Amino acid sequence: MMNFSILFDANYLNKGLSLYLSNANHTSDFTMYVMALDRKCQEKLNQIGFKNVVVECIEDVDDPELTKAKGNRSRVEFCWTCGSYVTDYFFRKYKLDHIIYLDSDLMFFSSPQVLQDEFYKKNASVGLVSHFMKYPLFGEYCTQYLYFKNDEDGSGCLRYWRDSCLEWCYSRVEDGKYGDQLYLNYFADRFKNVYGTENHGAGIAYWNMNNYRFKDGYTIYKGKKWPTVFFHYSGINMRVEGDELLF
């Protein structure tokens, strides 16, 4: 059983649906907790009525700290802030034994259970996915897939990420911070059992894909192969003109 946390608005609905459908195609035992960032998104999701999905709307969350954050940062920065906040919200409200934050622009090509098995084997309280390339501005790890176990270090780390983002989450580099992402660099300094996956088939994206070869559902890097788990479609947009889908 896997518990996922995801958030998006009506403008990202197509990506959120692709994420859900691709995961459901490979994984049956999961619950996806979705925080709609506007009413239109909430209504559409409720109309569709996917199974294994719990839908809530950020407009129903009454928290002065979140309201303050919404008033002093851009829309994108507020969405970044909400990632950690919403994950912690679902984690505690539903008393989950673990939770996995997902960026909404992912698509799965096999079950993420392989990542969970790796984290379990390593007794990880926190599981991270690297950029798998040198990326000083954005840090070693990417927020795309974050696992938190309901133990002292896992829940403590999630709350640290949440509180840090509420305090500061902006689209600029400042004092070792950038958005919600550079906080991940400090997880292992503050908490025990923080583990980064070795699976190069997780977090394939435009910034690392040219380092790999792909064959028969596997990602191959330096002679070793891993199951291709998900692609991160960061920065990729699409539109429909007539009958043509354009990227």
Side-chain angles (χ1 to χ4, degrees):
M1 175 67 176
M2 284 182 281
N3 304 311
F4 298 108
S5 168
I6 182 174
L7 65 151
F8 51 89
D9 61 16
N11 294 320
Y12 252 62
L13 188 62
N14 58 342
K15 294 182 179 180
L17 297 182
S18 295
L19 168 58
Y20 170 83
L21 291 169
S22 66
N23 182 60
N25 191 46
H26 299 288
T27 309
S28 58
D29 193 11
F30 74 94
T31 300
M32 190 166 286
Y33 297 87
V34 181
M35 185 65 76
L37 295 180
D38 54 42
R39 291 296 184 195
K40 182 178 179 181
C41 181
Q42 180 189 30
E43 291 167 2
K44 289 291 184 182
L45 289 170
N46 285 335
Q47 287 173 8
I48 295 170
F50 283 133
K51 97 180 197 186
N52 303 335
V53 172
V54 175
V55 180
E56 296 197 29
C57 185
I58 199 70
E59 294 180 19
D60 295 324
V61 177
D62 184 15
D63 187 324
E65 288 186 285
L66 192 64
T67 301
K68 180 180 178 182
K70 186 176 183 179
N72 62 29
R73 52 202 71 176
S74 70
R75 175 66 174 173
V76 169
E77 291 166 342
F78 179 66
C79 290
W80 291 350
T81 301
C82 285
S84 58
Y85 184 95
V86 165
T87 303
D88 184 71
Y89 170 88
F90 286 138
F91 184 60
R92 297 178 192 281
K93 177 176 180 178
Y94 293 99
K95 298 179 173 60
L96 305 175
D97 63 359
H98 76 276
I99 196 162
I100 303 159
Y101 166 79
L102 301 176
D103 273 350
S104 58
D105 51 356
L106 309 182
M107 183 176 287
F108 287 95
F109 289 84
S110 66
S111 173
Q113 185 64 50
V114 67
L115 299 179
Q116 294 309 99
D117 291 344
E118 183 182 2
F119 294 149
Y120 294 155
K121 184 178 180 181
K122 296 294 184 178
N123 195 32
S125 298
V126 179
L128 305 171
V129 176
S130 174
H131 281 107
F132 289 119
M133 68 164 292
K134 293 182 179 179
Y135 225 154
L137 176 61
F138 301 119
E140 180 177 355
Y141 300 106
C142 183
T143 57
Q144 56 196 337
Y145 189 112
L146 291 170
Y147 163 80
F148 299 95
K149 183 179 180 180
N150 192 351
D151 62 14
E152 182 177 356
D153 289 289
S155 61
C157 186
L158 177 53
R159 181 51 64 99
Y160 159 75
W161 186 39
R162 168 196 180 274
D163 291 346
S164 298
C165 289
L166 282 172
E167 181 178 346
W168 194 101
C169 189
Y170 299 97
S171 184
R172 62 176 184 266
V173 177
E174 182 178 304
D175 298 329
K177 303 187 291 288
Y178 178 84
D180 61 343
Q181 194 148 267
L182 282 182
Y183 294 119
L184 277 58
N185 282 2
Y186 311 124
F187 283 2
D189 296 332
R190 292 172 173 268
F191 302 94
K192 299 176 183 177
N193 303 319
V194 177
Y195 175 78
T197 179
E198 298 176 3
N199 189 333
H200 283 254
I204 300 165
Y206 71 82
W207 53 77
N208 60 33
M209 62 185 295
N210 290 333
N211 297 327
Y212 302 141
R213 291 189 299 113
F214 305 96
K215 184 177 180 181
D216 299 329
Y218 286 91
T219 299
I220 304 169
Y221 178 68
K222 292 186 176 180
K224 187 173 181 178
K225 66 180 184 179
W226 291 267
T228 299
V229 184
F230 66 86
F231 192 95
H232 188 171
Y233 287 89
S234 175
I236 298 177
N237 295 306
M238 62 185 181
R239 68 182 189 276
V240 177
E241 291 187 4
D243 296 326
E244 188 175 6
L245 180 64
L246 304 175
F247 292 88

